[in-house]
Amino acid sequence: MLLPRLPSSWTALTCIAVLLVPSGLSATSPNPAAFENSAVVRSIELGGATTQITTSYTVRSLKNKNAVYVFALSNDDASNTSWIEAKLKGSNTPLELKRSSDADEPIAFYELSLPQPLKVNETATFILTTVQSHASEPLPGSVRQTEPQALAYETGVYVLSPYDTLIQRIKLKSSTPDVISFIETSELDKFAEPGNKAVVKTGGTVTYGPFRNIRNSATEAFVKDEQQLVGVHYMYDNPVITIPELRRSAEISHWGSNLNIEDKVWLKNDGAKLKGHFARIEHLRQQVQPQTAQPHILKQVVFNLPSNVRDPYFYDTIGNVSTSRFRPASTKKIAGKKSSPLEKLSFLELRPRYPLMGGWNYTFTLGYDMPLEDWASYDAAQGAYVAAVPFLTAVPGAAYDDVEVKVVLPEGASIVDVNPPFDTTIEYQRHYTFLDTIGRPTITFKSKNLTDKHAGLIYITYKVDFRAHLQKPLAVAGGFLGLFLIATTFRRLDFRIHTNKKKQA
Amino acid sequence: MATPKLAYQLPSLSSAAVENTASLFRIIALALISATAIASRLFAVITYESVIHEFDPWFNYRATKLLASKGFYEFWNWFDPTAWYPLGRVVGGTIYPGLMATSGVIYYILQAVNLPVDIRNICVLLAPGFSALTAWATYMFTCEMKDKSAGLLAASFIAIAPGYISRSVAGSYDNEAIAIFLLMFTFYLWIKAMKEGSAFFGTLAGLFYFYMVAAWGGYAFITNMIPLHVFVLILMGRFNYRIYVGYCSWYAIGTLASMQVPFVGFQPVKTSEHMAALGIFGLLQLVAFAELVRSHVASRQFKILLRSAVALLAVVGIALGALMTAKGWIAPWTGRFYSLWDTEYAKKYIPIIASVSEHQPTAWPSFFMDLHVLMFLFPVGVFILFKEMRDEHVFVIIYAVVGSYFAGVMVRLMLTLTPVVCVAAAVALSTLLDTYIDPVEPVEESTVAAGSSDADAAKKTGKKAAEAATEPTAQSTKASTSAPKSGIYGLDSRILTVANVILLLSYFVQHCTWVTSNAYSSPSVILSSKNRDGSLYIIDDFREAYYWLRQNTEPDSVICSWWDYGYQIAGMADRPTLVDNNTWNNTHIATVGKIMGSSEEKAYPILRKHDVEYVLVIFGGLLAYSGDDINKFLWMVRIAQGIWPDEIQEKNFFTARGEYKLDHDATPAMKESVMYKTSYYRFAEMFQGHAVQDRARGQTLPSVGPTLDYLDEAFTSENWIVRIYQVKKDDILGRDHKSANAFMDGKRRKRLRPTSHRKLLPVKKSTE
């Protein structure tokens, strides 16, 4: 990963470093003769705000020293894909993947560097996992308080690939068996096996395919002429949670040995909008009679926090929200084993002031403290501290549209190395708080279009001098000394014009 | 010097050591008193949270936020288009900015040293902080009256007296929060200026008077108290040049400074409330001139001169006053002022003032509740001051008389009485303690009534005896060693009295704590009840509904509610309101009263004319919350009737037997009113066929609730306390909503269920 080289003197307040410029814009389109896809199976987990798509490519190499495999996504898919990862089947380590095409090209190509080049006729299976946000749309767009919610998802039926594909299948899985309808056209028969139905529904799963012998489909012409749009209309009985904005501020304090995290969260129920108005009586009725309850009404959000969280707080613009509940993780420690705070979780159940019907908003601030020793350690070899800061708190199934994470280092620290869990825009600033004199170096990460998959750790390496630690006590002591000196001087001065003899006596 | 007889032995220390230790103890005591003053006001924060209380504080908080975020000039020129829709309100010129400016300055100072304290926390904790300063100011003031030990007692009284706590708990961010400190401190500076004839203290008094004027409308109390004091002193023949210097410097500086506050402007020279100060200023010049003349003229001539001058001046003065009042240069007394003299005045002429509970006359129990033991010590203290009657004592006596009267007229003026009660009680108690703790035994004289155990008598004798004892000429043949162990001078009666005082004070502390925690620490924005296991159950309906408005309605939707909630809606929901707690436009308030009191058909055009998007009512019927709109409804009707006596009449809302009924016997006007309908809409369904109970009023309602044609229920809070209705837009077919609804109802029965989903995709029905 490319890291910004910091200016040694902090003359410039901010310095923007754009990470990972799409390197090596290989304008050369992928070579269709390099591979052949023996089988491609795409399975789409239909969700609310996010949709997880897992595609497995079983490939056969057509030449020697074949080290780069290219995935293709249509431009639409690429634009709402917020997370992408490729692995070898059976392995847990993600492979290096980078986008090799510009955003304005009709097909998005992702180059996968293989760990070891393939020989002719050697096969491999890649698992490509992508997460799309806002791919499903409520249909109908608005429902009454007492009506259930349904979503519709559309996708191209053929998995695009610059290589020829022998057999391909696509599965759309709904979490409930309630699939209202799906698209079926005769156009689908073109690549389908003769005699077989091109589309089958079993339970909550709609399977398109198998389709055979699709030639290089990653071309504009194919997308235009051959690609078919298919879709599923399904009942979705969870709230569609969108977080339009998230502002996280993480403050590392060495004096307090504390990592404070404060999130300002904009929350929205992005499901079918409420038709008509909200009637409390209906809502109460649904609480009393669970069979009439509509689960797509967002009543609470559960935040999974690290186990070592203390003093959590939850408030909005007009004060504390008294309806939240914090369940700390069990504090039993296994002797001799230093467990990661992320292994066991505390739960913060946040219940907004009012139930969030479709289309309703709520904003709040959530914060908590954590002991710094669990999140930072001193690296004696480097003479620097390494701190890990969680990028965001995952709300399962939520889409994060605009996320800004600000990490505030101790006063007088100098940044050595910054390592975000994925590529983001990084800005350097200064932040003044709690009697600061020279300010604290601050790193701001700005990202758009994230999902709960992005809840990784930011690693920051920084140095703090011993002198920097003394900065604050000295400054405060100096301030008070000044005050006392002024007071002392003034007490010793006599401003009276007319001295009162009686008093002096 | 002869050794007086001592009741008990004191350790022998040098007087310097005693003085230093005493001064250290005083500092510690004052620090502890300040800490207590702050701590006892934090009940609300601990039980609930750091939140702004009640109604007016929400406006002050909102104004302070604007001041903190946009700066002073923006605040000064602030025109608030969201209040009093569509009129708007020139906020900068119609408020006392002292409170906001104080918080703003504190905020900026903290920002300057990089201490990020939220402006809300500054606002919440301002009142407790200033109460510590009040304790200090009262200490200084009482020190001038008697001595430092009385000062400490007064400080500790004011620190925990419920009469003052009621207006200064954390979160009660109102003008009174800083005003009482300013009141006491200005009085202290005045006493100091008057005593020493110091122009410096007079000027300081003037500056703090200016601060007070900028902070609270009650500054008129100072404006009249100080001239009254001077006037009484002149009548008592106690005029001297110290008073002249003190008053003139206070008046000149204070008046000029106070005119800089836009809301006050030229009032100090134009309105009747300020004329006393001006008159005394003139009188002082005359008296001083007369004194000057007297020192140069023979006394017989002076008498003639004085008489003719007084006659002439009286004629000229009265004529001038009459002329100016007739010409309208001096504004006549305001309604609020009249209501101070005639408690029935407001009820008759200004229902809007009478409708506020804190403007009601004080009930007797509340004197005890707010002052407890101080109430009994107060007259004793005044009596003691009467006996000594120094110039500054006259001030406290006048203050006591005037303050007692005002406290009797209006509940909220209990606040101005409390400081003087604390001072007088401290003087009384400290005199008592001085007498009984002072180890010096009086020389026995036959004149002393030995059997008297009365505090005053004891004090008297003690005093005389002490004087006698300290006189070097007193016969001091008796040795000071052995003291009688019993009897009126003995240790037993001393211990008994002191123990009694300690007991009394402990009860006082206990009472104050109890009253503060139970009666004065409720934010009223958050309600609470006790769960069965004794834990606190928070009822947060107001904020739920206000936050819903803030998050899920258009930012410019106008809310129509009774004026009580105007500031809260502006502060918490951030939406325009028709009327709010700054009750400057009676007609606008009456309009809202008319909307609430008339039927939907009549209210609808008014709502539409005022661009009202939502109607908000407070309903306590489910939770037995008695401060709801139905209970305030009669005031709405009364105020509306004041403007439109033909269209809305109070009598229509009472049954034939004169009862205020909401059940089957409710009058048609009541049942048709918007208030009734919006309060009880769909309420009957809660009871599922059982008797429908309004728990706030204990009445059984009809089992079929009212229906609405022109309004739609938009939101109801969890416990039904806040109910919000959306005003329907004009019908698209131009029908009135009533017939449109009837048509829809008729049609709905025939209509088939609509197909559930519009088809957008080329869809094949699934085979299942």
Side-chain angles (χ1 to χ4, degrees):
Chain A
M1 183 153 296
L2 208 82
L3 281 168
R5 189 144 296 277
L6 291 177
S8 52
S9 66
W10 278 88
T11 42
L13 265 183
T14 58
C15 140
I16 300 169
V18 179
L19 269 184
L20 210 96
V21 189
S23 60
L25 286 168
S26 52
T28 51
S29 53
N31 176 13
F35 285 100
E36 178 190 72
N37 297 325
S38 343
V40 176
V41 178
R42 169 165 288 180
S43 106
I44 300 172
E45 307 280 345
L46 298 172
T50 59
T51 312
Q52 180 167 330
I53 301 171
T54 317
T55 319
S56 100
Y57 296 83
T58 308
V59 303
R60 186 166 67 88
S61 176
L62 299 179
K63 63 176 198 183
N64 275 327
K65 287 189 188 169
N66 222 351
V68 173
Y69 182 84
V70 177
F71 297 113
L73 286 179
S74 75
N75 212 4
D76 287 352
D77 280 349
S79 65
N80 62 15
T81 293
S82 23
W83 192 77
I84 185 160
E85 187 186 69
K87 285 174 183 167
L88 269 176
K89 193 178 183 181
S91 147
N92 259 333
T93 37
L95 302 175
E96 203 190 318
L97 190 68
K98 65 184 176 210
R99 187 165 179 168
S100 58
S101 62
D102 280 343
D104 52 350
E105 283 176 36
I107 309 282
F109 291 113
Y110 296 86
E111 279 181 9
L112 174 75
S113 313
L114 300 183
Q116 56 229 33
L118 296 177
K119 293 185 205 117
V120 172
N121 282 341
E122 211 173 343
T123 61
T125 305
F126 307 119
I127 310 285
L128 180 75
T129 314
T130 60
V131 177
Q132 298 181 334
S133 39
H134 307 298
S136 297
E137 276 185 8
L139 183 81
S142 60
V143 294
R144 292 193 175 279
Q145 194 182 343
T146 48
E147 290 169 355
Q149 161 186 269
L151 304 181
Y153 178 83
E154 287 180 353
T155 182
V157 75
Y158 304 119
V159 177
L160 300 188
S161 176
Y163 314 110
D164 296 350
T165 304
L166 296 184
I167 185 159
Q168 188 233 302
R169 223 184 240 112
I170 181 164
K171 293 180 188 165
L172 293 108
K173 294 181 183 162
S174 157
S175 56
T176 60
D178 258 344
V179 172
I180 301 163
S181 65
F182 53 91
I183 297 176
E184 187 178 23
T185 61
S186 54
E187 303 285 325
L188 290 174
D189 296 337
K190 182 164 181 193
F191 293 103
E193 287 177 14
N196 273 5
K197 282 191 77 164
V199 50
V200 177
K201 172 177 174 291
T202 32
T205 307
V206 178
T207 311
Y208 288 91
F211 304 108
R212 289 192 182 274
N213 299 326
I214 304 163
R215 299 200 63 80
N216 172 11
S217 55
T219 61
E220 211 175 343
F222 183 89
V223 172
K224 220 171 126 193
D225 303 331
E226 310 280 352
Q227 182 69 290
Q228 294 299 321
L229 208 61
V230 292
V232 171
H233 188 197
Y234 58 102
M235 303 303 283
Y236 188 69
D237 50 10
N238 283 310
V240 180
I241 303 174
T242 299
I243 296 175
E245 261 184 85
L246 173 69
R247 297 277 172 272
R248 165 164 287 196
S249 156
E251 205 169 297
I252 295 172
S253 160
H254 279 212
W255 273 103
S257 182
N258 190 34
L259 171 63
N260 169 267
I261 291 197
E262 188 171 292
D263 291 343
K264 277 188 174 23
V265 185
W266 282 251
L267 186 70
K268 188 176 185 193
N269 183 348
D270 226 357
K273 294 210 165 29
L274 176 68
K275 190 193 251 179
H277 287 289
F278 170 73
R280 176 63 65 175
I281 185 85
E282 302 291 352
H283 189 70
L284 289 173
R285 218 170 261 158
Q286 286 175 359
Q287 275 175 335
V288 178
Q289 302 167 328
Q291 67 274 16
T292 60
Q294 292 305 330
H296 62 87
I297 295 168
L298 179 58
K299 292 200 200 82
Q300 68 169 24
V301 185
V302 178
F303 276 77
N304 302 335
L305 303 180
S307 63
N308 49 9
V309 161
R310 52 181 191 220
D311 307 331
Y313 51 90
F314 171 35
Y315 63 87
D316 59 23
T317 321
I318 55 173
N320 182 37
V321 184
S322 47
T323 40
S324 60
R325 198 154 29 156
F326 177 62
R327 298 180 190 281
S330 65
T331 48
K332 261 189 270 173
K333 286 223 166 164
I334 303 152
K337 192 191 164 208
K338 204 189 170 193
S339 62
S340 154
L342 287 170
E343 278 174 23
K344 275 181 284 171
L345 297 171
S346 305
F347 297 100
L348 187 59
E349 298 170 7
L350 304 185
R351 191 178 275 269
R353 294 188 187 276
Y354 46 85
L356 288 187
M357 315 301 288
W360 284 13
N361 304 300
Y362 187 68
T363 64
F364 60 91
T365 303
L366 159 74
Y368 44 87
D369 290 337
M370 293 184 287
L372 187 64
E373 60 265 26
D374 290 351
W375 295 94
S377 59
Y378 185 67
D379 181 3
Q382 253 184 304
Y385 295 91
V386 181
V389 176
F391 199 91
L392 48 83
T393 307
V395 176
Y400 299 75
D401 293 348
D402 183 2
V403 179
E404 192 179 304
V405 178
K406 204 159 112 182
V407 180
V408 182
L409 298 178
E411 191 174 23
S414 54
I415 304 168
V416 176
D417 190 12
V418 178
N419 218 336
F422 50 89
D423 309 336
T424 63
T425 318
I426 303 182
E427 287 176 22
Y428 295 90
Q429 285 153 336
R430 285 216 163 238
H431 181 69
Y432 293 86
T433 180
F434 289 116
L435 300 167
D436 284 350
T437 38
I438 54 170
R440 308 180 179 207
T442 302
I443 312 154
T444 310
F445 304 87
K446 287 182 179 169
S447 288
K448 287 199 187 309
N449 203 8
L450 303 184
T451 66
D452 51 351
K453 288 267 187 192
H454 289 87
L457 294 172
I458 306 166
Y459 288 98
I460 295 165
T461 314
Y462 60 93
K463 283 183 182 173
V464 191
D465 283 350
F466 180 66
R467 259 184 310 152
H469 282 308
L470 291 182
Q471 177 82 25
K472 184 161 300 171
L474 286 179
V476 172
F480 272 101
L481 183 69
L483 275 182
F484 288 144
L485 280 180
I486 291 169
T488 316
T489 322
F490 266 83
R491 266 193 82 89
R492 274 160 181 69
L493 291 176
D494 191 348
F495 291 107
R496 275 176 300 184
I497 301 165
H498 163 77
T499 38
N500 197 336
K501 294 273 157 48
K502 231 191 326 185
K503 270 196 176 168
Q504 281 190 332
Chain B
M1 190 172 150
T3 344
K5 200 174 155 193
L6 292 178
Y8 52 92
Q9 205 61 48
L10 289 171
S12 58
L13 287 167
S14 72
S15 63
V18 171
E19 186 48 47
N20 286 344
T21 323
S23 131
L24 176 68
F25 274 135
R26 270 199 300 275
I27 290 172
I28 294 173
L30 269 178
L32 286 176
I33 288 168
S34 300
T36 316
I38 293 171
S40 65
R41 284 163 171 81
L42 296 183
F43 276 110
V45 171
I46 290 159
T47 336
Y48 300 97
E49 60 182 90
S50 165
V51 68
I52 303 291
H53 289 194
E54 302 204 310
F55 306 105
D56 286 18
W58 273 101
F59 169 75
N60 299 329
Y61 172 51
R62 184 163 158 250
T64 311
K65 271 204 295 191
L66 186 116
L67 173 65
S69 60
K70 296 199 177 160
F72 202 76
Y73 284 101
E74 196 66 21
F75 171 70
W76 212 236
N77 296 324
W78 182 22
F79 176 80
D80 183 6
T82 64
W84 296 90
Y85 186 89
L87 306 171
R89 175 184 174 193
V90 186
V91 179
T94 58
I95 51 162
Y96 294 102
L99 182 74
M100 299 94 188
T102 309
S103 311
V105 166
I106 294 174
Y107 180 72
Y108 285 132
I109 289 174
L110 291 179
Q111 290 289 308
V113 297
N114 284 329
L115 267 179
V117 180
D118 190 18
I119 186 77
R120 177 176 49 105
N121 286 326
I122 293 174
C123 293
V124 166
L125 296 177
L126 191 75
F130 265 83
S131 72
L133 289 176
T134 310
W136 175 71
T138 311
Y139 166 76
M140 300 296 275
F141 182 82
T142 317
C143 286
E144 295 300 318
M145 292 302 142
K146 188 171 172 285
D147 52 14
K148 287 179 170 142
S149 49
L152 282 180
L153 274 174
S156 55
F157 288 158
I158 194 86
I160 56 170
Y164 174 38
I165 286 190
S166 66
R167 292 321 203 95
S168 64
V169 292
S172 170
Y173 181 58
D174 213 343
N175 294 335
E176 289 94 329
I178 63 170
I180 295 302
F181 160 68
L182 295 174
L183 184 82
M184 282 321 277
F185 201 65
T186 312
F187 281 163
Y188 160 71
L189 291 171
W190 158 245
I191 294 294
K192 199 85 180 153
M194 179 216 77
K195 252 176 145 177
E196 296 190 356
S198 150
F200 173 69
F201 278 105
T203 310
L204 269 187
L207 290 179
F208 271 87
Y209 171 70
F210 160 64
Y211 192 2
M212 174 77 174
V213 173
W216 191 34
Y219 74 88
F221 187 62
I222 302 183
T223 322
N224 289 298
M225 264 307 293
I226 293 179
L228 189 60
H229 182 209
V230 172
F231 188 59
V232 170
L233 286 180
I234 292 173
L235 287 188
M236 288 167 80
R238 292 190 178 189
F239 171 80
N240 56 41
Y241 284 100
R242 291 194 306 274
I243 295 177
Y244 179 80
V245 171
Y247 187 84
C248 291
S249 42
W250 166 75
Y251 183 74
I253 304 276
T255 306
L256 283 177
S258 71
M259 285 162 77
Q260 311 309 311
V261 179
F263 193 31
V264 176
F266 280 97
Q267 279 182 35
V269 290
K270 281 173 102 178
T271 60
S272 309
E273 281 97 332
H274 299 79
M275 281 304 123
L278 183 61
I280 296 296
F281 182 66
L283 186 67
L284 267 185
Q285 311 309 320
L286 291 177
V287 172
F289 182 68
E291 289 285 313
L292 185 76
V293 171
R294 178 153 64 177
S295 63
H296 288 83
V297 179
S299 69
R300 219 163 60 88
Q301 286 169 312
F302 179 74
K303 263 185 193 165
I304 302 164
L305 207 62
L306 187 70
R307 273 187 199 147
S308 43
V310 165
L312 185 73
L313 276 172
V315 171
V316 170
I318 292 170
L320 206 67
L323 178 77
M324 286 172 85
T325 314
K327 279 274 184 182
W329 289 332
I330 301 179
W333 308 102
T334 58
R336 264 174 224 258
F337 183 79
Y338 279 123
S339 63
L340 278 182
W341 309 108
D342 180 5
T343 46
E344 290 293 305
Y345 181 86
K347 222 173 217 167
K348 271 183 255 164
Y349 301 104
I350 4 176
I352 192 110
I353 289 180
S355 73
V356 180
S357 65
E358 64 184 22
H359 291 158
Q360 305 299 324
T362 316
W364 283 112
S366 69
F367 277 100
F368 183 75
M369 181 153 145
D370 279 359
L371 299 167
H372 196 243
V373 65
L374 304 183
M375 204 59 242
F376 310 110
L377 292 171
F378 170 49
V380 179
V382 174
F383 176 73
I384 290 169
L385 293 176
F386 238 110
K387 280 179 47 189
E388 211 173 331
M389 202 66 143
R390 296 204 304 264
D391 287 355
E392 61 266 29
H393 293 163
V394 175
F395 183 81
V396 177
I397 293 162
I398 300 168
Y399 185 2
V401 173
V402 176
S404 308
Y405 175 77
F406 287 144
V409 173
M410 248 189 221
V411 178
R412 69 186 290 197
L413 292 181
M414 199 71 182
L415 184 69
T416 48
L417 176 66
T418 307
V420 71
V421 168
C422 291
V423 171
V427 168
L429 206 60
S430 137
T431 311
L432 183 77
L433 288 175
D434 280 355
T435 312
Y436 277 87
I437 292 179
D438 187 4
V440 178
E441 280 202 9
V443 180
E444 281 190 56
E445 286 174 47
S446 53
T447 48
V448 175
S452 160
S453 63
D454 179 86
D456 290 313
K459 182 209 155 269
K460 207 187 287 175
T461 52
K463 189 159 197 150
K464 264 186 204 162
E467 277 165 11
T470 44
E471 266 174 37
T473 50
Q475 302 125 352
S476 50
T477 44
K478 285 172 195 168
S480 63
T481 47
S482 68
K485 290 287 171 275
S486 63
I488 182 69
Y489 305 134
L491 275 180
D492 54 350
S493 54
R494 285 163 186 271
I495 290 172
L496 200 69
T497 315
V498 172
N500 198 13
V501 168
I502 291 172
L503 190 75
L504 216 58
L505 291 184
S506 340
Y507 271 121
F508 174 62
V509 170
Q510 203 196 358
H511 172 84
C512 290
T513 317
W514 181 82
V515 169
T516 308
S517 64
N518 283 288
Y520 293 140
S521 294
S522 158
S524 93
V525 173
I526 312 168
L527 309 170
S528 67
S529 70
K530 285 269 186 318
N531 281 332
R532 229 170 260 173
D533 59 350
S535 60
L536 204 68
Y537 173 67
I538 302 281
I539 298 162
D540 219 353
D541 280 40
F542 288 100
R543 290 195 294 179
E544 177 190 353
Y546 293 147
Y547 210 61
W548 177 82
L549 278 175
R550 190 188 188 109
Q551 293 285 328
N552 297 305
T553 59
E554 293 300 316
D556 56 353
S557 17
V558 179
I559 317 281
C560 166
S561 75
W562 190 233
W563 62 265
D564 294 21
Y565 315 106
Y567 279 166
Q568 289 188 348
I569 294 172
M572 287 191 255
D574 197 20
R575 294 288 174 270
T577 52
L578 282 193
V579 293
D580 65 30
N581 308 46
N582 172 257
T583 51
W584 66 273
N585 189 326
N586 193 40
T587 316
H588 223 50
I589 291 177
T591 308
V592 175
K594 191 181 171 192
I595 290 171
M596 296 299 185
S598 33
S599 66
E600 264 191 289
E601 296 88 40
K602 280 190 192 155
Y604 185 67
I606 312 176
L607 287 170
R608 294 290 294 162
K609 258 186 233 165
H610 288 83
D611 295 344
V612 174
E613 186 72 30
Y614 293 99
V615 176
L616 182 146
V617 293
I618 306 296
F619 171 64
L622 186 69
L623 217 64
Y625 171 62
S626 58
D628 68 351
D629 276 351
I630 295 263
N631 280 355
K632 291 173 184 168
F633 188 36
L634 280 181
W635 285 111
M636 304 183 199
V637 171
R638 260 173 225 157
I639 290 167
Q641 186 182 7
I643 307 283
W644 294 282
D646 306 331
E647 296 178 51
I648 190 157
Q649 279 112 26
E650 192 182 344
K651 65 177 183 344
N652 292 345
F653 293 86
F654 286 110
T655 57
R657 291 165 63 197
E659 290 167 313
Y660 186 57
K661 285 280 199 173
L662 302 155
D663 51 11
H664 294 279
D665 302 335
T667 58
M670 172 64 92
K671 280 192 164 171
E672 282 299 308
S673 66
V674 170
M675 176 51 67
Y676 180 90
K677 282 184 157 189
T678 49
S679 288
Y680 293 115
Y681 182 66
R682 296 192 82 177
F683 181 57
E685 292 176 44
M686 278 295 281
F687 293 84
Q688 298 180 331
H690 297 285
V692 183
Q693 273 288 329
D694 180 332
R695 294 189 186 120
R697 284 153 287 270
Q699 300 196 22
T700 308
L701 299 166
S703 56
V704 178
T707 53
L708 288 170
D709 289 317
Y710 296 84
L711 302 171
D712 269 330
E713 184 188 10
F715 187 82
T716 296
S717 64
E718 191 179 352
N719 299 297
W720 294 61
I721 288 183
V722 186
R723 310 205 64 186
I724 300 168
Y725 293 85
Q726 189 167 33
V727 178
K728 280 187 187 166
K729 297 272 171 287
D730 286 326
D731 189 71
I732 35 170
L733 297 178
R735 303 166 293 184
D736 71 294
H737 285 291
K738 201 166 194 170
S739 52
N741 267 5
F743 180 73
M744 285 298 281
D745 279 349
K747 193 184 169 193
R748 217 172 251 165
R749 272 179 224 119
K750 283 174 240 157
R751 205 171 62 169
L752 292 167
R753 273 189 68 79
T755 45
S756 57
H757 306 294
R758 275 171 290 159
K759 295 202 170 66
L760 205 146
L761 301 163
V763 168
K764 179 189 175 287
K765 272 279 172 215
S766 74
T767 44
E768 275 188 359

